[in-house]
Amino acid sequence: MAYVAVTGGQEAIAASIELLKEYRSEGELALEISVIRDRMSLLVDRIMSEAGLYAPDYAALALKQCEGSPEEAVFLLRAYRSTLPRNYTSRTVFGSDMHVRRRISAAFKDVPGGQILGPTYDYVHRLLDFDLKEEDEAELEAWREQVKQERREELDNTPDGASDGRIPRVLDMLRQEGLLEQVEQDTSEPCDVTMEKLPLPPPRSAVLQTLSRADTGYISGLAYGDIRGFGMAHPTVGELRYGSLEIEVDYPLGEGESWYVGEVCVTEVESLVSAKPGGDGIGIGYGCVFGRNDTKAISMSILDRALVLDTDSPTSDAEFVLLHGDCLEMNGFLSHLKLPHYVTFQSKLDSIRNKKRSAEHGTKS
Amino acid sequence: MERNLNYNFAFLDEGSKREIRRSILHAIAIPGYQVPFGSRELPIGRGWGTGGIQITMSVIGPDDTLKVIDQGSDDSVNAVSIRKLIGTTTGVKTTTDSAEADIIQSRHRIPEEPLRADQVLVLQVPQPEPLRSVDPHEEVTRRLHGDGEYTGIWVNLFERYLQTGSALRGADHPVLTDGRYVMNPSPIPRYDNPKLDHAECLYLFGAGREKKIYAVPPYTKVESLTFDDQPFRREDMSGRKCRLCGAENVYFDEFFDAATGERMFQCSDSGFCKKRREKGGNCHEE
């Protein structure tokens, strides 16, 4: 029998999806969504940040559904987000209102409110902890209780009681002194790149939104390239803070009143960099991303500044930086290469055969 | 197809669909002009036809009949996947027969059977910008289009001629639409380019990742770019015959028999091929 071209796409897809279920469910232990949410929280944070959707439970569900692939999990959240109507816009949130859990400055040794390391892997020796192979859950629970108790006692012994964690910004001191580049407050309606194509040249609101949703690896690599030699000099982290922000929306019936709808945890960075290419003066690069992700927030602040500076560096090319870091777009286009290209390839073959034919014809005549 | 009632009709919310329809109207009003739009995220990968899907979902109604093809084939995995998504979120009737379809969504092909005035062909577009090879920046190419400054692409084609002996690209050979905008026809083979000219049907082009929509309305002049002394040439399909239906002078897929190494051909348009075989097969081309 002659060769039969591939058909039966429907059966093939169904079989492939069945295989995925098999791969996803390997082993004997069930994977609880709450376990992913609570114990893989940095991964959950990254998914929410790249998806632009703050939903820890859904992010954990997405991770369970796709064998823990970040690009697939982001994809699932984004597609789900497309189906949701947008009923409210939150009120403007200020990083200075953050309930801070981590806060450091590389610019000053001592800052009002102090340096607060919070949870960070920065000073952990990255040695595999083989004890975790057989961690005792009961012991762990007892340890957590004990820590909580100690903290409560510590609070009781604090004369002023618990603070709400609000700390002034480090750079406010420099701002008041007039040492930082003066930037005018922009209160115009921000651009929303999820509702319109990125305008070019992009307004800063669109730049920040795009960077905040960008793939972590992509913007980290670009920022590294920038500070290693293709862009500006070494920036100084004026302040990096991580904590929760309260989100409020306007109460539809009450003039000036608002509803508290929940909180989001973000990492916010203000980097100090030169105000002009090669010049002096201090400008600021800003980074703010969902969740605990120092590197992404710092990278964002570097790229924000690089795009403002407009130098010859590839990181100052807004279209290069902003159009190639969206998780869905880059992975979608790269993976489309797996689709059949028979028709276009046939057209290419025709061109080559035609050239060959005319060359042969040319030698004969 | 059975409709999944957990989602809105055609997946997207009504506001988004209306917004996309406005962009489509804008595109029809200025043939060949790339209209930016707020491309939505879909459950299918960007770069896998999301521009076409958003157009189809925005214009489709419950009484429409839909056909989806990929590289001419109704049975290609991506065509199956897209048909399933649109089918299950709308519940519309689907078909493989071009003549029966109200809306045909396609990647890289225009069906062999000429389309009618009551039909819409939606083409999926990977790169909507014909001037991308002239300048990688959108800001620059938009200005060039605005000025009608197409020297760059002509130089590109001339360089191509010097290097390869032909000014013609493979698939996605650029066209001039309505005498005004240079446009990528999407990666259809040159064989399909002439079908765009003064066609009866409406052609809509959607680029989801690049967030652009453009259109060729019925009876619009569409010329493939070429030099006066370098005539436009379609892919040479002469001397070939479909091994299934016997058709000649259509666009073919090429196969090699694994056992004999023999080269053989089959209609790229699977619906067209099937229809011919059902009508009695191996009949001669009209």
Side-chain angles (χ1 to χ4, degrees):
Chain A
M1 205 196 119
Y3 183 81
V4 180
V6 183
T7 58
Q10 199 137 9
E11 290 82 4
I13 291 175
S16 165
I17 290 172
E18 202 175 78
L19 263 181
L20 280 181
K21 187 172 177 183
E22 205 178 314
Y23 276 51
R24 178 175 74 68
S25 60
E26 294 249 327
E28 269 134 46
L29 282 181
L31 182 58
E32 293 293 333
I33 287 168
S34 59
V35 175
I36 303 176
R37 185 198 57 209
D38 299 336
R39 301 213 172 159
M40 293 277 144
S41 54
L42 290 179
L43 179 58
V44 166
D45 281 355
R46 177 174 170 177
I47 303 303
M48 295 193 299
S49 165
E50 292 176 18
L53 182 70
Y54 200 88
D57 286 304
Y58 287 156
L61 170 63
L63 282 164
K64 175 175 179 172
Q65 190 179 328
C66 66
E67 303 171 66
S69 156
E71 73 179 74
E72 281 297 324
V74 170
F75 197 161
L76 285 166
L77 284 197
R78 288 270 191 96
Y80 174 64
R81 189 176 175 275
S82 277
T83 66
L84 303 174
R86 306 220 191 149
N87 298 329
Y88 302 99
T89 304
S90 77
R91 288 188 165 186
T92 307
V93 177
F94 295 91
S96 49
D97 290 335
M98 184 188 286
H99 302 286
V100 173
R101 292 178 206 171
R102 161 168 168 75
R103 183 281 195 117
I104 53 161
S105 172
F108 299 100
K109 190 170 182 183
D110 200 10
V111 284
Q115 304 261 15
I116 304 167
L117 275 189
T120 174
Y121 285 99
D122 287 350
Y123 304 99
V124 172
H125 294 149
R126 273 70 161 200
L127 300 168
L128 271 180
D129 183 352
F130 295 104
D131 292 343
L132 293 187
K133 280 168 74 180
E134 281 164 34
E135 196 172 32
D136 186 86
E137 277 301 314
E139 246 172 60
L140 198 59
E141 183 60 34
W143 176 84
R144 289 172 63 93
E145 266 313 306
Q146 189 196 331
V147 170
K148 263 188 212 158
Q149 182 61 31
E150 282 168 12
R151 259 190 227 137
R152 242 173 266 138
E153 282 164 19
E154 205 177 309
L155 268 181
D156 291 342
N157 295 332
T158 310
D160 305 336
S163 88
D164 68 350
R166 286 198 176 92
I167 301 174
R169 278 199 164 111
V170 173
L171 299 189
D172 283 349
M173 304 184 300
L174 298 179
R175 273 193 196 97
Q176 278 153 17
E177 225 183 301
L179 294 180
L180 300 183
E181 180 193 23
Q182 296 290 317
V183 182
E184 221 159 292
Q185 180 100 353
D186 180 2
T187 54
S188 61
E189 184 81 8
C191 168
D192 183 353
V193 296
T194 67
M195 302 296 276
E196 59 176 301
K197 184 174 161 66
L198 181 77
L200 295 167
R204 184 135 178 270
S205 61
V207 170
L208 294 174
Q209 187 189 16
T210 305
L211 291 175
S212 186
R213 289 158 47 95
D215 182 86
T216 305
Y218 172 81
I219 69 166
S220 306
L222 283 185
Y224 172 52
D226 182 88
I227 63 172
R228 184 178 159 273
F230 281 81
M232 59 179 163
H234 194 303
T236 305
V237 172
E239 179 171 2
L240 179 150
R241 50 167 63 193
Y242 163 75
S244 60
L245 289 167
E246 291 169 13
I247 304 294
E248 291 177 347
V249 297
D250 287 337
Y251 177 51
L253 302 174
E255 193 92 352
E257 287 179 59
S258 66
W259 270 338
Y260 166 78
V261 292
E263 57 172 31
V264 297
C265 288
V266 302
T267 307
E268 190 195 42
V269 167
E270 287 186 301
S271 285
L272 303 168
V273 276
S274 53
K276 289 189 207 91
D280 32 79
I282 303 176
I284 290 185
Y286 183 74
C288 185
V289 302
F290 277 158
R292 250 164 82 209
N293 194 339
D294 292 3
T295 309
K296 185 176 179 186
I298 292 170
S299 301
M300 177 175 165
S301 73
I302 290 167
L303 293 175
D304 168 42
R305 195 62 202 172
L307 291 174
V308 169
L309 282 184
D310 196 19
T311 64
D312 290 339
S313 163
T315 49
S316 278
D317 185 329
E319 292 197 32
F320 183 76
V321 172
L322 300 177
L323 293 180
H324 303 107
D326 185 79
C327 183
L328 254 66
E329 284 164 14
M330 63 190 213
N331 291 312
F333 201 54
L334 286 168
S335 65
H336 111 283
L337 299 175
K338 293 177 282 185
L339 283 177
H341 284 77
Y342 318 133
V343 167
T344 41
F345 188 66
Q346 194 58 225
S347 181
K348 197 176 176 67
L349 276 183
D350 173 81
S351 303
I352 296 167
R353 281 177 181 148
N354 186 57
K355 193 182 170 191
K356 199 169 155 225
R357 255 199 310 274
S358 31
E360 282 165 3
H361 192 255
T363 48
K364 271 176 208 158
S365 60
Chain B
M1 223 176 257
E2 189 81 21
R3 190 183 148 198
N4 179 343
L5 295 170
N6 289 324
Y7 290 96
N8 189 36
F9 180 82
F11 187 76
L12 298 167
D13 64 280
E14 293 304 313
S16 299
K17 288 197 280 181
R18 189 175 304 126
E19 200 183 308
I20 291 166
R21 282 196 295 271
R22 283 190 191 130
S23 301
I24 293 171
L25 289 174
H26 186 167
I28 293 170
I30 316 174
Y33 171 74
Q34 301 165 50
V35 180
F37 81 111
S39 181
R40 303 301 199 263
E41 270 119 0
L42 297 177
I44 283 181
R46 284 207 157 159
W48 290 61
T50 54
I53 298 171
Q54 288 179 79
I55 289 180
T56 301
M57 284 173 159
S58 302
V59 300
I60 202 164
D63 301 328
D64 285 326
T65 301
L66 172 75
K67 173 180 162 86
V68 182
I69 47 175
D70 186 316
Q71 308 269 310
S73 167
D74 296 272
D75 206 29
S76 174
V77 274
N78 199 39
V80 170
S81 163
I82 292 172
R83 185 184 310 116
K84 192 172 158 199
L85 177 72
I86 303 173
T88 52
T89 55
T90 60
V92 299
K93 201 173 146 232
T94 61
T95 181
T96 60
D97 183 353
S98 297
E100 264 183 29
D102 298 298
I103 301 167
I104 302 173
Q105 177 166 335
S106 170
R107 171 171 172 263
H108 298 188
R109 270 316 305 275
I110 296 175
E112 299 292 349
E113 230 175 309
L115 300 175
R116 303 180 308 265
D118 60 328
Q119 293 180 299
V120 178
L121 185 78
V122 179
L123 281 156
Q124 302 167 196
V125 181
Q127 177 49 266
E129 182 50 77
L131 304 183
R132 196 49 80 231
S133 58
V134 176
D135 194 291
H137 295 94
E138 183 69 12
E139 237 185 303
V140 175
T141 52
R142 279 185 78 84
R143 198 166 55 231
L144 293 175
H145 279 294
D147 294 343
E149 170 49 65
Y150 292 128
T151 315
I153 195 159
W154 285 109
V155 171
N156 266 338
L157 293 176
F158 184 64
E159 282 171 346
R160 192 177 181 86
Y161 166 70
L162 291 179
Q163 283 162 4
T164 69
S166 167
L168 301 169
R169 292 187 188 171
D172 214 357
H173 183 77
V175 295
L176 181 67
T177 303
D178 199 26
R180 174 61 182 85
Y181 285 101
V182 169
M183 179 189 104
N184 270 355
S186 87
I188 54 173
R190 295 192 311 280
Y191 179 88
D192 287 341
N193 274 23
K195 296 177 190 167
L196 293 166
D197 183 40
H198 286 90
E200 281 189 30
C201 70
L202 167 66
Y203 292 102
L204 297 175
F205 299 79
R209 192 178 40 78
E210 295 284 341
K211 307 180 182 76
K212 304 266 195 72
I213 288 173
Y214 53 101
V216 173
Y219 303 105
T220 303
K221 187 175 170 191
V222 178
E223 308 152 88
S224 297
L225 296 192
T226 187
F227 299 104
D228 289 345
D229 55 352
Q230 287 285 316
F232 176 75
R233 189 185 65 82
R234 312 208 297 182
E235 290 83 357
D236 183 11
M237 293 287 146
S238 62
R240 299 181 179 189
K241 196 170 175 181
C242 175
R243 68 185 182 90
L244 295 176
C245 77
E248 292 171 51
N249 296 314
V250 296
Y251 199 76
F252 290 107
D253 286 342
E254 186 173 330
F255 302 95
F256 294 92
D257 189 308
T260 65
E262 190 193 348
R263 196 149 66 103
M264 51 185 68
F265 302 97
Q266 188 174 313
C267 294
S268 142
D269 184 340
S270 66
F272 172 79
C273 188
K274 183 171 160 231
K275 200 167 166 182
R276 279 173 53 88
R277 275 176 284 146
E278 281 166 3
K279 267 192 187 161
N282 289 329
C283 53
H284 291 290
E285 272 293 277
E286 281 158 41

